[in-house]
Amino acid sequence: QTSGQWLAEEAIESLDVNLLPPAIASDGAGNVIITFSTNDVVPVAYANVRTAASSAWSAAAATAISDLAPAPATASSVVMNALGRAVVLFRSDATRVFVRQYQFGGDTPGWQGAAAYAANYNPGLELIVEPVAVFGTANDFSIVSAHNNGRFLSLWPCTEGGCGDAQTFVNTSVDNSLRAGLHAARAAAGNLTVLFGIDQPGYGVRPGAIRFHAGLNAWRGMNMLGQLGSIHVEGESALRLAVHPDGSASALFPSWNGSQTLVRSADFR
């Protein structure tokens, strides 16, 4: 706004339930998409959009992503590229990732097809960690997810038409497990860097990172970023990741006692 002032808050949906934290994404044209989830007895994920040319949220685009069985529990990630293509991820029954795509503008604006399903199931330990999505060029994107109590980290290459087979990295230490709160970003060359917290018995949560080398089609360089006991956070809300156009990456995380903020950088060119 030219006035430089925040406008009055708006109620996007009216639900008599507690809402889980929302997610928001926008493109260069000013289109916005949001997702959020109820914390009701049977949780449901919701999404809505607001186009740059509109002064209101779209009633037609508002959707309860509940047309699946079993019903989805939580919206996990939303990203949008410069072309107005948005990808919404959510998880269902703690084992699977579902994908919805929305297109702003173009020949066919609106929700693109039915919800797509990315198999993220492995027999045995079935707990999934929240998935995140990362865009590449044009409308291709990747899903990064952890499952089986965080001991498997998977990358799912996807396009407008759906997702391919996963490339999986296995954390062979049965005493460690990835925690919810994955962060992922892709460099211009297509290499992915993933930041996460590892729950290590006796040491609390420590930051870790790994990259997926696009040219080699393989996971590379599993690293623990902090010294033993250097991080102590509940969940990974304090972990942040930036990947620069030249392929280098920076990770931001708190120290053990919270008195320092630490930054680590790596060169993945």
Side-chain angles (χ1 to χ4, degrees):
Q1 300 295 317
T2 55
S3 65
Q5 302 295 318
W6 289 101
L7 300 179
E9 60 269 22
E10 297 178 71
I12 301 170
E13 306 287 347
S14 178
L15 300 168
D16 188 20
V17 292
N18 295 321
L19 299 182
L20 298 175
I24 188 169
S26 64
D27 63 8
N31 301 309
V32 178
I33 184 168
I34 62 166
T35 63
F36 56 93
S37 306
T38 68
N39 195 21
D40 206 355
V41 176
V42 180
V44 177
Y46 290 83
N48 204 342
V49 306
R50 184 169 182 168
T51 63
S54 175
S55 60
W57 294 91
S58 171
T63 181
I65 312 175
S66 58
D67 54 347
L68 302 167
T74 57
S76 300
S77 178
V78 57
V79 293
M80 196 188 312
N81 67 3
L83 304 176
R85 169 75 59 160
V87 172
V88 180
L89 301 183
F90 51 97
R91 62 174 183 150
S92 179
D93 74 357
T95 64
R96 293 177 284 185
V97 177
F98 287 92
V99 186
R100 289 296 303 265
Q101 296 187 60
Y102 188 91
Q103 180 65 52
F104 289 89
D107 296 331
T108 57
W111 291 104
Q112 304 298 299
Y117 160 66
N120 195 24
Y121 172 81
N122 234 311
L125 299 174
E126 301 169 1
L127 179 64
I128 186 176
V129 177
E130 298 288 357
V132 297
V134 182
F135 261 112
T137 59
N139 285 331
D140 69 294
F141 59 97
S142 300
I143 297 173
V144 182
S145 63
H147 47 108
N148 282 34
N149 281 344
R151 296 181 184 129
F152 290 78
L153 186 65
S154 296
L155 173 67
W156 309 79
C158 305
T159 65
E160 297 178 51
C163 299
D165 294 333
Q167 293 282 342
T168 302
F169 167 79
V170 180
N171 176 15
T172 57
S173 174
V174 296
D175 293 329
N176 298 334
S177 60
L178 297 172
R179 293 278 293 271
L182 296 170
H183 301 269
R186 177 156 30 186
N191 299 332
L192 276 172
T193 300
V194 184
L195 179 68
F196 47 83
I198 283 189
D199 191 357
Q200 189 172 44
Y203 297 104
V205 179
R206 300 171 58 209
I210 193 172
R211 68 181 172 119
F212 186 88
H213 194 293
L216 299 177
N217 199 34
W219 291 102
R220 306 282 291 200
M222 172 77 167
N223 292 303
M224 300 309 299
L225 301 182
Q227 299 300 318
L228 291 180
S230 66
I231 184 171
H232 182 71
V233 293
E234 291 298 326
E236 278 62 60
S237 60
L239 297 177
R240 291 295 181 265
L241 171 70
V243 173
H244 315 297
D246 67 357
S248 60
S250 297
L252 185 70
F253 52 91
S255 65
W256 169 261
N257 58 13
S259 62
Q260 292 179 311
T261 297
L262 307 179
V263 178
R264 289 291 301 274
S265 298
D267 191 342
F268 290 146
R269 285 173 288 184

